Amino acid sequence: MIAGIALIRVCATFSPLNKSSTTVVFNATSLRPDSGLTVLLGVLQGLSKQDQVAIEAIVICSSKETAEAVKTQGLASRVVLRCKDASLWRRQWWVTMSMGKFVNSLKPDLFFSFNQFVGGVKAPQAVYHLNLIRFMPIDSNQGIVHRLVEWSRNRGAKLALQQADANVFESNYLHECASKVHTPQNGIAKVIYIGLPDDLIDASSKLKSSDAHSASLIAITNHNEHKDNATLIRVLHSLVENYPAVNWRLKIAANIISEKWKPVKKLAMELGVDNKIDW
């Protein structure tokens, strides 16, 4: 919800707030039922709870499951399916070649895209970067089609840094990685830090282990290698070792596919923290 409230600052910057409503179109074609969808729902929840301006949210999806999740939550005025459950290549082609024209037909006051800039959109465009892989080298072991699609998606992330009216980053770390890989030609117009409020971070740093008998952590992730879940398990182990008085619990919210999570679960058992994790 923090992201949704922060998005209002973007709306206030680019759209007049004295209108009866502000139309925000979301490009959610790359989002599937995992952490990306969780972020989208959080943004929409934040928008629905603020009272500064009435928001008419239109969400463009390509995943049927994503569309159904948004509809079930009742957080969008309209959900549009394009390239329904199509291949990654076909979806990326449509986003690159046709999405801008379609978005313009919806007459948005603000266009909000995930991970990549969409060309041809007339409305101010904010891009939410939530995927570190967009700023990492392409896996050369993948097939030529996959590499071409990844090149196109990475190019979209680069264009966002150069052309978007606002770039929203999920963390300062992601922002730093993006800036190292792609130096903005025209500067980043606006960067909004999406994360824990500073006062909450300050309060937690002052908390002594004796002040709390238990602590629960939650990670929204998936099995992909770039998520670096092994480090997450090692962090839990370090916390247990260094602060034994605290009853640590780690909740992993993910699309749990047992086969692909085996290495992570094996590491948790080897470090003796498997009984501290709720899947």
Side-chain angles (χ1 to χ4, degrees):
M1 289 194 300
I2 297 172
I5 295 171
L7 180 56
I8 285 298
R9 300 173 190 166
V10 180
C11 292
T13 303
F14 300 117
S15 304
L17 299 184
N18 56 354
K19 298 175 60 177
S20 58
S21 66
T22 294
T23 301
V24 183
V25 174
F26 290 83
N27 170 22
T29 54
S30 65
L31 303 187
R32 294 295 178 271
D34 55 18
S35 54
L37 174 57
T38 304
V39 171
L40 172 63
L41 295 177
V43 170
L44 292 172
Q45 288 171 0
L47 290 177
S48 67
K49 291 183 181 297
Q50 58 78 39
D51 56 7
Q52 299 176 44
V53 59
I55 298 292
E56 180 184 357
I58 302 175
V59 181
I60 305 172
C61 308
S62 61
S63 165
K64 182 180 177 181
E65 289 79 8
T66 298
E68 289 177 348
V70 176
K71 289 179 181 178
T72 300
Q73 295 281 343
L75 297 171
S77 307
R78 181 181 172 190
V79 179
V80 181
L81 265 174
R82 283 291 184 275
C83 297
K84 178 182 175 182
D85 295 327
S87 66
L88 180 58
W89 171 255
R90 184 182 171 192
R91 294 198 316 269
Q92 186 61 21
W93 178 265
W94 183 80
V95 169
T96 304
M97 304 302 295
S98 304
M99 188 174 208
K101 184 177 180 180
F102 177 71
V103 169
N104 291 336
S105 70
L106 300 174
K107 299 180 179 180
D109 297 296
L110 177 70
F111 179 59
F112 197 70
S113 182
F114 285 90
N115 297 319
Q116 64 177 320
F117 182 84
V118 178
V121 176
K122 296 179 180 178
Q125 184 168 169
V127 178
Y128 190 141
H129 300 276
L130 54 82
N131 201 333
L132 182 61
I133 201 172
R134 294 281 68 86
F135 308 106
M136 295 173 63
I138 298 172
D139 186 357
S140 59
N141 293 320
Q142 297 291 336
I144 183 64
V145 174
H146 177 85
R147 280 182 284 159
L148 282 172
V149 174
E150 289 302 288
W151 174 86
S152 177
R153 298 173 81 187
N154 290 356
R155 179 175 179 273
K158 177 181 179 180
L159 287 175
L161 298 182
Q162 297 172 344
Q163 299 183 31
D165 297 280
N167 283 272
V168 181
F169 290 89
E170 195 166 63
S171 69
N172 194 48
Y173 174 72
L174 184 55
H175 175 211
E176 291 174 354
C177 289
S179 299
K180 288 178 181 178
V181 176
H182 302 304
T183 302
Q185 293 179 357
N186 302 316
I188 299 176
K190 192 176 184 68
V191 177
I192 300 175
Y193 177 77
I194 304 301
L196 295 174
D198 291 339
D199 57 347
L200 184 58
I201 295 175
D202 292 340
S204 66
S205 65
K206 298 174 183 177
L207 186 66
K208 298 178 181 179
S209 59
S210 59
D211 296 330
H213 299 293
S214 63
S216 181
L217 312 173
I218 186 167
I220 302 172
T221 182
N222 63 39
H223 61 267
N224 289 327
E225 185 177 352
H226 71 273
K227 295 295 184 180
D228 195 17
N229 293 300
T231 294
L232 181 65
I233 302 303
R234 286 192 287 268
V235 167
L236 175 62
H237 174 256
S238 179
L239 290 171
V240 171
E241 287 284 300
N242 288 285
Y243 304 96
V246 180
N247 179 27
W248 297 98
R249 301 295 305 178
L250 171 62
K251 300 179 181 180
I252 296 182
N255 183 16
I256 304 300
I257 303 175
S258 57
E259 195 67 27
K260 293 184 177 181
W261 281 94
K262 272 187 176 180
V264 180
K265 292 184 176 181
K266 180 181 178 182
L267 177 62
M269 291 185 66
E270 291 174 349
L271 295 177
V273 294
D274 53 304
N275 63 336
K276 298 284 186 179
I277 302 174
D278 299 320
W279 297 86

